[in-house]
Amino acid sequence: MSARVVLVVEDNEQNMELATYLLEEAGFEVQQATSPDEARRALARQRPDLVLMDMSLGGVDGLSIVAELRRKPELAPLPILALTAHAMRGDRERFLQGGCDGYIPKPIDVKTFVREIEAALARGHGDS
Ligand code: MN
C-alpha cells in the first residue's frame, strides 16, 4: 500500500517542520506549500488524501482558499482540516461552514496531532 499523502499548507516554518516531522514519523508522505499559489500548484500535480490548511497565509484568509478548492468538483470530496491559532468559541462553526471538516489548534499538540489526522481521514469529507 502506498503512503497516504497529506498536503500541509502553512507559512510558519516551525509549524511546517513540526507537522512534517510528525506525519513522516507516522508513515505519511507530506507535500508542503507555504502560500496559496504553492498549494494550487501542489494540487494540480497530485491529489493528496487530506489537506491541512493554515487559516492565515500571509494575510490571506485560509477559508477563501478552502472555498476556492471546494468549487473544483474533483476536490469537493477532499478532507480538509483547518490549522489555526484562533480556536475560539464560534470558530469551529465558521470553519465547518466554510468547507473544512474540522480543525487542529495551534500550537500543535504532538501527543494528539497524528491521531486527529487519522480520525479525519477515517471520517472523510462531509460526514459531520
Ligand atoms: Mn500562518
Side-chain angles (χ1 to χ4, degrees), residues 10-12 54-58 106:
E10 167 62 82
D11 61 355
N12 177 280
D54 181 17
M55 288 292 101
S56 178
L57 287 161
K106 291 194 240 185

Side-chain angles (χ1 to χ4, degrees), residues 60-94:
V60 177
D61 183 352
L63 279 184
S64 70
I65 309 302
V66 173
E68 177 189 316
L69 302 186
R70 290 295 187 216
R71 283 195 293 270
K72 298 176 192 286
E74 71 275 19
L75 298 181
L78 187 62
I80 302 176
L81 289 183
L83 182 60
T84 179
H86 301 284
M88 311 277 286
R89 204 179 167 81
D91 281 337
R92 182 176 179 278
E93 288 310 311
R94 197 167 65 87

Side-chain angles (χ1 to χ4, degrees), residues 2-39:
S2 60
R4 288 167 301 170
V5 178
V6 176
L7 171 61
V8 181
V9 187
E10 167 62 82
D11 61 355
N12 177 280
E13 196 175 329
Q14 286 181 319
N15 288 328
M16 177 65 91
E17 280 183 15
L18 181 55
T20 299
Y21 171 78
L22 293 170
L23 287 167
E24 288 183 348
E25 280 288 295
F28 288 93
E29 181 183 325
V30 176
Q31 296 178 312
Q32 297 182 333
T34 62
S35 69
D37 273 345
E38 282 187 18

